Amino acid sequence: MKIVAYGIRADEKPYLDEWGKANPEVTVASTGKLLDETTVELAKGADGVVVYQQKPYTANVLNKLASYGVKNISLRNVGVDNVDTAAVKQNGLKITNVPAYSPQAIAEFTVTELMRLLRNTKTFDRKIANGDLRWAPDVAEELNQMTVGVFATGRIGRAAIQIYRGFGAKIIAYDVFHNPELEKEGIYVDTPEELYAKSDVLSIHAPATKENEHMLNDEAFSKMKDGVYVLNPARGTLVDTDALIRALDSGKVKGAALDVYEDEVGVFNTDFGSFDKIPDERLKNLLKRDNVLVTPHIAFYTKKAVHNMVWFAMDANKSLIETGNSDKLVKF
Ligand code: COI
């Protein structure tokens, strides 16, 4: 049995080697390159491929994999929004993801960023670096006085709720699907609009779909409380960045923490050598603001998560090859 793992980073390699040792019956080949038109041939002769990338898995690449007889594809991440679903169905491909490598990693990071916003740490870091040790005017707010609106109560949303509760915040939530435990607690509101109207902090944990693209747009921001804090550790496409900038300029949004950005592919996880060389003026506009925290999609980036992404994806691929099934099979 042979599995080819694409896009393997240096921090993933030890976990991949560990997995290979624990599964000596599997030949594991790996490359640091991503799966695309130029690298798909490396999969020839394999029974499955294990991948992680943010650039699209195009119909062309998926058709080629199928033509080599490689029908088992395991993603090391959770999001499947960059997969050409028509090509998956047409070719009878089986795709698995890792739905829960560490929801806590993302939840912990989200709340960390919120605390940084509420305590004005970016401003204080800048002031202190310039020898300004005064307090005023940067008086902080306390989370225990606030209502946090959680948009989507999947694993990550629920992990975030647990942490917000530790701070004593009031929690409300919106989701099409109600979690039975949270339902009993009566935290759900009926519409996104109600969530917007009642939240001091909006914590977004929805996957990206065609329907929710730019769901946070001018209209949505206009329905939010004045001075709302917006946290997006989920997907860049959920936020209309231009509308967010307008809402920041008007003061409607008092602070934002963005671990994702709609144009992040090819920009995040790249070293440009200096701030000026970052090739995106809109991103730089956001990065320069004291009340905006932009991070390059690092919420997931913990040892536990990276380990689990590699191990769970490899296990899932092996299971697809051996049994034709996996508990992580994605239904498109
Ligand atoms: C995902 O798992 O879908 C993520 O967003 C994390 C990714 C950057 C590895």
Side-chain angles (χ1 to χ4, degrees):
M1 187 191 314
K2 182 176 175 188
I3 299 176
V4 175
Y6 282 87
I8 291 290
R9 304 182 307 269
D11 53 86
E12 294 178 298
K13 188 69 168 63
Y15 301 127
L16 187 68
D17 292 344
E18 241 176 48
W19 189 90
K21 279 199 192 108
N23 295 270
E25 71 282 20
V26 183
T27 302
V28 181
S30 70
T31 169
K33 293 179 182 156
L34 303 180
L35 173 64
D36 62 18
E37 280 79 2
T38 66
T39 59
V40 64
E41 285 207 0
L42 297 172
K44 275 186 181 164
D47 300 291
V49 292
V50 166
V51 287
Y52 162 67
Q53 64 196 42
Q54 287 172 290
K55 62 193 271 192
Y57 301 98
T58 62
N60 189 13
V61 167
L62 298 176
N63 293 343
K64 278 200 178 144
L65 280 179
S67 75
Y68 308 151
V70 182
K71 299 219 168 182
N72 303 310
I73 303 170
S74 296
L75 275 48
R76 300 198 290 284
N77 61 304
V78 56
V80 292
D81 41 299
N82 55 347
V83 178
D84 188 311
T85 46
V88 170
K89 288 183 194 154
Q90 268 161 22
N91 289 300
L93 301 177
K94 288 190 174 151
I95 307 251
T96 60
N97 67 348
V98 183
Y101 42 81
S102 177
Q104 295 81 6
I106 291 116
E108 286 182 10
F109 187 78
T110 310
V111 183
T112 301
E113 293 296 86
L114 173 60
M115 293 316 294
R116 288 183 66 207
L117 286 175
L118 297 184
R119 303 309 298 244
N120 303 312
T121 59
K122 196 168 167 185
T123 307
F124 276 109
D125 286 348
R126 183 178 45 71
K127 280 168 60 170
I128 292 164
N130 290 324
D132 180 354
L133 305 187
R134 289 173 300 176
W135 305 340
D138 303 300
V139 63
E141 302 190 54
E142 293 186 30
L143 184 49
N144 63 73
Q145 312 266 295
M146 303 177 112
T147 298
V148 179
V150 174
F151 194 107
T153 54
R155 292 180 181 86
I156 297 171
R158 297 202 300 277
I161 287 173
Q162 238 185 346
I163 304 175
Y164 288 132
R165 288 211 163 120
F167 279 89
K170 179 176 177 200
I171 313 290
I172 56 175
Y174 173 79
D175 201 319
V176 184
F177 306 104
H178 286 194
N179 172 271
E181 292 306 312
L182 295 178
E183 174 86 3
K184 274 188 227 149
E185 294 169 22
I187 70 163
Y188 284 107
V189 296
D190 294 330
T191 61
E193 287 68 28
E194 199 179 338
L195 194 79
Y196 300 155
K198 291 182 172 163
S199 301
D200 301 305
V201 175
L202 210 54
S203 193
I204 307 288
H205 303 286
T209 63
K210 279 197 193 88
E211 293 69 38
N212 67 19
E213 187 171 345
H214 282 186
M215 70 175 205
L216 294 196
N217 53 20
D218 286 312
E219 198 190 338
F221 286 122
S222 75
K223 291 177 180 154
M224 293 179 198
K225 279 193 179 182
D226 291 340
V228 64
Y229 290 87
V230 175
L231 314 173
N232 184 13
R235 279 293 179 266
T237 55
L238 300 172
V239 176
D240 175 344
T241 308
D242 294 326
L244 173 64
I245 288 174
R246 285 189 284 275
L248 284 160
D249 286 342
S250 72
K252 181 72 176 178
V253 172
K254 190 164 181 189
L258 311 171
D259 189 47
V260 289
Y261 170 57
E262 53 183 321
D263 295 330
E264 72 182 59
V265 177
V267 177
F268 282 5
N269 203 13
T270 303
D271 181 6
F272 293 102
S274 76
F275 184 87
D276 290 344
K277 290 195 185 125
I278 297 173
D280 184 324
E281 291 309 314
R282 191 171 62 163
L283 180 61
K284 284 197 278 197
N285 170 335
L286 289 166
L287 282 161
K288 280 182 196 156
R289 295 171 188 248
D290 271 0
N291 61 341
V292 178
L293 304 172
V294 181
T295 43
H297 211 140
I298 54 169
F300 85 99
Y301 196 48
T302 66
K303 290 176 185 167
K304 170 182 155 188
V306 173
H307 170 277
N308 288 349
M309 290 162 108
V310 170
W311 272 74
F312 295 174
M314 291 298 291
D315 284 343
N317 206 251
K318 185 180 169 194
S319 169
L320 283 181
I321 295 165
E322 282 179 340
T323 69
N325 205 354
S326 158
D327 59 355
K328 296 185 176 56
L329 193 66
V330 180
K331 292 179 190 77
F332 287 101

